[in-house]
Amino acid sequence: MKRDEMEKRQFFLVAYVVIVLLTAIAGLSFVTSYFGKGSQISKPTTYDKYYVIITDNHDSDFWQAVYEGASDYGLANNVYVEDLAASFSDSYTKEELMSIAIASRVDGIMLSADESEEMTSLINEAVSKNIPVITLYNDSSSSKRISYVGVGNYNVGKEYGKQAISIAKGLSTTEDFDVVVLVSSSPTSSQMMIYSGIQETMEQDDLSTRLNLNTVKIDDTNTFTIEESIRDLFMDENVPDIIICLNELDTTCVYQAVVDYNKVGEVGILGFYDSEAILTGIDKNIINSTIRIDTKQMGEYCVDALLEYDKKGFTSEYFAVDIEVITVTNVRSHMEVEDD
């Protein structure tokens, strides 16, 4: 009996030793594989420069596309570009993110700015601490920013004006047309320049006396307030005949509201950007047209301006990004590109 018990103990002891050895071998194999082959992946990469991008509604398709253009171009030039807002789980204002970027002593800032005194002061503070600031799409003209990367806002306005006139002339009615431009609660200089382009284009047309152009301020505190502002517009007794949207989110919300309130064919929509949803709206003849901005080019220009400034101590004060009008006649070619 004692012999049997000893044999059992020896068996379990040998089995235990074998399991331990197998576990050790497997662990050693994993460590060798991880640190041998994987060390190149885990090894930190160093970059010549560290830039950050700070924008409105950073997770929108438009700003993500701009960031992607800047990031890809940056990596090709040994520059790391970070979407600063995406680095935090909490939401911060552009002003707070600017303060964080300045305190972090980044090498350069790409900023969708505005004309507020606070923003101007923050830009000037960054520049005074040798952190160059590029404004993109929305400018801060009175600040010490080193360059502005945007579109020809007046020309964008002219394109919107032409499209609005085309919609009005396509309707068989003798009544006046109410045309509204959706702007921020604190309209930017870029928005007002676009408005001027629309206004002057309309004034030069023989239909001008029948086109009533106005702005409508949208509460752009967050996505919910934007949606509420646009819903209020459609709940009014006199819904505009033509709505001109100057950003991607407004366009998407107006598109949805036209469908929800059964106004398809009654309200003309002139949009901004070429997201999949907006292109689908054009293809369905719900959105009349949209302005496409070369987001890749915008991101590249920002990085290029910062690199040139670092190398030469100066850069061009203004970089104009290419735009294109997308209508039902050419939307399919853009949708094919999106599918690819």
Side-chain angles (χ1 to χ4, degrees):
M1 199 67 177
K2 288 183 179 179
R3 186 176 178 180
D4 290 341
E5 288 178 0
M6 288 180 64
E7 287 178 350
K8 285 181 181 179
R9 286 180 180 177
Q10 287 176 347
F11 172 78
F12 285 120
L13 179 62
V14 171
Y16 175 77
V17 170
V18 170
I19 291 171
V20 170
L21 286 173
L22 288 173
T23 302
I25 291 169
L28 180 63
S29 175
F30 171 78
V31 170
T32 302
S33 174
Y34 182 81
F35 287 100
K37 296 179 182 178
S39 59
Q40 293 180 349
I41 299 173
S42 60
K43 184 179 178 180
T45 303
T46 57
Y47 298 94
D48 293 335
K49 295 291 176 182
Y50 168 50
Y51 299 152
V52 296
I53 184 168
I54 300 171
T55 63
D56 312 280
N57 192 25
H58 78 100
D59 56 353
S60 70
D61 290 344
F62 174 75
W63 286 121
Q64 282 298 304
V66 173
Y67 167 66
E68 186 178 334
S71 179
D72 290 347
Y73 188 76
L75 292 176
N77 289 275
N78 206 33
V79 171
Y80 183 74
V81 180
E82 183 175 17
D83 179 358
L84 195 56
S87 306
F88 302 97
S89 55
D90 295 330
S91 296
Y92 292 96
T93 64
K94 288 191 299 182
E95 291 77 13
E96 289 170 335
L97 291 171
M98 274 293 288
S99 296
I100 292 170
I102 293 168
S104 302
R105 296 284 181 175
V106 299
D107 295 309
I109 299 172
M110 294 167 271
L111 170 70
S112 174
D114 56 57
E115 300 288 355
S116 69
E117 290 183 13
E118 184 179 5
M119 185 60 74
T120 299
S121 177
L122 284 165
I123 293 171
N124 292 346
E125 180 187 349
V127 174
S128 71
K129 294 181 178 178
N130 298 315
I131 303 174
V133 178
I134 303 286
T135 55
L136 68 156
Y137 191 64
N138 292 311
D139 195 15
S140 176
S141 56
S142 58
S143 71
K144 295 180 180 178
R145 50 90 168 139
I146 64 167
S147 185
Y148 168 55
V149 177
V151 297
N153 292 306
Y154 179 77
N155 290 331
V156 169
K158 288 183 67 175
E159 290 296 341
Y160 276 130
K162 291 175 186 176
Q163 291 296 314
I165 291 167
S166 177
I167 294 171
K169 288 184 175 179
L171 300 174
S172 54
T173 177
T174 57
E175 296 179 1
D176 290 353
F177 299 93
D178 290 327
V179 182
V180 299
V181 181
L182 305 186
V183 297
S184 306
S185 49
S186 297
T188 65
S189 58
S190 300
Q191 290 177 336
M192 297 319 296
M193 184 63 74
I194 291 173
Y195 180 84
S196 295
I198 297 169
Q199 186 178 43
E200 291 185 26
T201 302
M202 288 183 174
E203 287 174 351
Q204 293 169 5
D205 193 87
D206 55 12
L207 202 65
S208 61
T209 56
R210 292 173 53 205
L211 294 170
N212 302 318
L213 179 65
N214 290 289
T215 60
V216 170
K217 290 184 178 180
I218 299 296
D219 183 348
D220 53 351
T221 306
N222 52 53
T223 302
F224 176 76
T225 58
I226 291 171
E227 291 173 347
E228 280 290 298
S229 296
I230 289 171
R231 275 199 293 267
D232 289 345
L233 189 64
F234 279 83
M235 291 178 71
D236 193 274
E237 240 181 77
N238 300 310
V239 179
D241 299 295
I242 300 170
I243 301 175
I244 300 176
C245 310
L246 305 186
N247 61 58
E248 176 195 352
L249 186 54
D250 285 359
T251 307
T252 305
C253 290
V254 170
Y255 169 32
Q256 188 60 52
V258 164
V259 174
D260 291 344
Y261 289 92
N262 297 315
K263 296 292 183 179
V264 175
E266 296 178 30
V267 177
I269 306 173
L270 302 182
F272 173 91
Y273 193 50
D274 57 338
S275 68
E276 184 178 348
I278 293 171
L279 294 179
T280 300
I282 294 173
D283 191 49
K284 291 180 177 180
N285 283 308
I286 299 174
I287 299 175
N288 297 79
S289 67
T290 193
I291 299 288
R292 176 187 179 273
I293 291 179
D294 192 332
T295 50
K296 180 174 180 288
Q297 189 183 61
M298 179 172 277
E300 290 177 353
Y301 279 173
C302 288
V303 176
D304 211 30
L306 286 169
L307 287 172
E308 184 178 37
Y309 184 81
D310 179 67
K311 184 179 179 180
K312 300 179 180 179
F314 63 87
T315 188
S316 298
E317 187 176 347
Y318 173 59
F319 290 83
V321 178
D322 295 336
I323 65 168
E324 179 185 4
V325 179
I326 300 177
T327 66
V328 70
T329 59
N330 61 348
V331 68
R332 284 300 177 94
S333 61
H334 289 277
M335 293 179 79
E336 287 168 10
V337 171
E338 290 286 322
D339 292 339
D340 291 341

